[in-house]
Amino acid sequence: MIIFHFKSLFCFVNFSNFLILFYYARNLIKFDLYYYIIILCIFTVISSYGQYNLYYNQKPDRENLRKVAYELAADEFWGRGTGQKGGFIAADYLAAKFGEIGLKQFPGYENFEQNVPLHEITVQPESVLELYNSVDTILPEINFEYLVHKTGSGTIIPKPVEMVFAGFGISAPEYDYNDYRNINVLNKIVVCYSGEPESDDDIYFMGNIATKHSNIDIKQRTALAQGAKACIIIPNPIDFDYEEWTKTVYEYSFPELSLAYSPSDILTLLIQPEIASKLFAYEKYDYETLSKMFFENKLISFEMKSKMTFRGFYKDRIFFSPNIIGYLEGSDSKLKQTCVIVTAHYDHLGIGPAIRGDSIYNGMLDNAMGVSSLLEIARIMQKSEAKPLRSVVFMLTTAEEKGLLGSLHYLNYPAFPLYKTIANINIDGMAFIDNFNSVVGIGSKLSELDTILRTTARNMNLYLEEFPQEFIEIESFNRSDQIAFASAGIPGMMVMDGTHYKNVSRDYGIFRLVEYMAGFYHTPFDDTDILINWHAAVQHTHLLMNLIATVAMSETEPEWAEWTNYYYERIKLKNEKR
C-alpha cells in the first residue's frame, strides 16, 4: 500500500520533489525496504516523466511544415479539388508521405487509402424556378437570386405545388420542439429559415452553440421524412448579408457532391431575402412580420397560398476519392485497443470561376497548412521512443468542402471501432499571424476535452481564451469534420491560436483574421503569397501534438457534458458497439 502510494504520487512530481520524498522515506521506512523503494521511485520518476511530458521538448521542424504546405498549395496541385486532377495528385502525394513516416496501414487499405464513392451533379444554367404568389409570377435568376443546394430526386416539379412555412424546419423531440406539429406538408414545398431558435440556456438547443438541427442537410431530411416534395431555405436575418451571399454564390458554382450510396434527397434551394419578400407579399404574414417574429423568437408555422414549379437540368458522374488513413499503435496492451483520431481535410475547391484572372483555389490556410501540421505530428510521434498508451489514428479526409463527405463515409465504415474511439482532434487552419499567449478551443466546452486542453495549454505557458466575440463559434464548430464525429457521439474539437499575441496587438491580429475571411477565404488568393509567420505555425503544431498525446495518455475517456445532445449519441454508440 505504501509502495502504491509513492508510485501514484511520483507520476506528478519533478526530480526535486523526489529528493524530498527520498528524505522522508529514509526516516519512515524500514532499512531493508528503503532501498527497494528508492529504486522503484527512480524508475517511476523517469518513466512517468516520459509519459506525462511526451513531446514537450520535441519541437516540430519549421522547414518540414513550410515545404509540405507550399507544395500542396502550389498551382501544380490545381487546388486539390475532389474528383479533379489535383485532388488525385494530392492523395497519391499524401499516401506516400504516410509511408515515409512509417505509419501502420489498416488491413484492406491498400496504400493507406479508403476509397469514398461519390456522386457529382453539375446544375446547368437552363434550370428554371418559378414562384407564384397570389398576384405575381416570380422568376429568380439561378446562381444569383437562388442556389441549388441539393438536386434530389425532384429535379422536375412540372405543376404548381403548394407551400407551407415551417419556421426553422426543425423537429427536435429532445427539446420538445416541433415546427411541423400543426401543419401538413405531405407532397408540398417546405419553406423555412436557416438556423435554429435563439437560446441563452445551455440545456435548450445548447445555448449559443448550434446543434445538428441548424444544419441545412438535417432540415431537408426532416422535410423529406414529413413527406415534402422540396425544401426552400431562407437565410435568417441575423446571418444574412449581401457580401456573404456573393461568396456563397461562388461556392455553389462548383459541382454538388454526395456519397454515392446516400438515400435520395429532396430538392433543396436557398433564396435571397428579396425573393422571400416577394414570395410572402400576400401571405397571412409578410416577410417583414416574419422577420420581427424571428427576432422575438416567436416564429409560427402556417399554410401558404404561394406555389412553385421547378425544371432542373444537370450533368452527373460517379467516381472514387480516397481518405488517407494510417495509425500509430499504442504502448499499453489494453488501452491500445482504443484510439484518438486526428483529422485534417486535404481537399480544397480546385478549379473554379476565375476571380481577377485566377481560377485555381489553392487553399493554403484552408487546409494545406493543417495537413502539413498533421504530417509533422505523425512524424515526430512515430519516430519518438516515447509512445502514448492509446493508439492514434491519423486521417486526411476528402470532400470536406463538399459537406464533410470523407468523414461521414469513415463514420459509416470505420477502420477503428467508433465506440472505442475516445476523441477527435480536428486540424482545419493554423496560426499564421504571430506567436501567441492564448488558445481557443472550438467546441471544447461541450466535453471534458476542455479540461485536457486547459492543462496542456498551461504546461506550455499558455491560457485558454474565451471565443473571440468578433467571430461566431457556432459556425466554426459546425463547418468542419469535428461536427461529423460529434454527431456520431465522439467528443471532438478544433484548437486555434487565441487573439493575445507575443509581438503584435490584439487589434492587429483581429484585423488580419477579418482580412483573411473577407478577402482570401475560399478564393483563389488563399495561396502561397499569403504572409505567414511560420514560428506561430510551429508553436501551434507543438501545442496540438502535446494535446493529442495528453488525450492518448489519459486512462479515462473524455465525456460529453450531459446537457449536450451529443451525450446521448455517445451512450447510443457504446450500447450499439459500432
Side-chain angles (χ1 to χ4, degrees), residues 24 98 133 163 194 206 209 239 244 270 337 349 375-376 403 446 458 503 524 545 570:
Y24 283 110
F98 270 31
N133 61 27
M163 296 180 168
S194 66
M206 292 183 4
I209 302 293
D239 294 341
E244 285 299 317
L270 307 179
Q337 298 173 38
L349 302 180
L375 289 173
E376 183 63 1
L446 303 175
R458 186 170 58 249
N503 305 299
M545 179 169 61
R570 184 69 175 167

Side-chain angles (χ1 to χ4, degrees), residues 57-111:
N57 295 321
Q58 299 187 42
K59 289 288 183 71
D61 188 296
R62 184 177 64 168
E63 290 309 308
N64 283 348
L65 290 174
R66 283 168 51 93
K67 184 175 184 293
V68 172
Y70 277 126
E71 286 180 349
L72 286 172
D75 284 353
E76 288 76 11
F77 278 78
W78 303 103
R80 308 185 306 281
T82 304
Q84 297 181 4
K85 177 181 178 182
F88 296 119
I89 294 174
D92 290 342
Y93 170 87
L94 294 169
K97 288 291 184 185
F98 270 31
E100 290 173 13
I101 289 169
L103 293 177
K104 292 190 174 185
Q105 292 192 62
F106 286 102
Y109 287 59
E110 184 178 352
N111 198 32

Side-chain angles (χ1 to χ4, degrees), residues 411-463:
L411 290 164
N412 289 331
Y413 301 96
F416 207 103
L418 299 183
Y419 76 99
K420 293 184 177 181
T421 302
I422 70 166
N424 166 235
I425 306 300
N426 186 40
I427 309 172
D428 193 357
M430 293 294 295
F432 68 99
I433 297 169
D434 186 41
N435 286 90
F436 47 91
N437 295 312
S438 62
V439 298
V440 174
I442 299 174
S444 65
K445 288 185 177 180
L446 303 175
S447 73
E448 292 172 345
L449 288 174
D450 190 72
T451 301
I452 298 174
L453 176 58
R454 286 180 188 276
T455 301
T456 306
R458 186 170 58 249
N459 289 342
M460 299 184 71
N461 297 315
L462 302 168
Y463 68 91

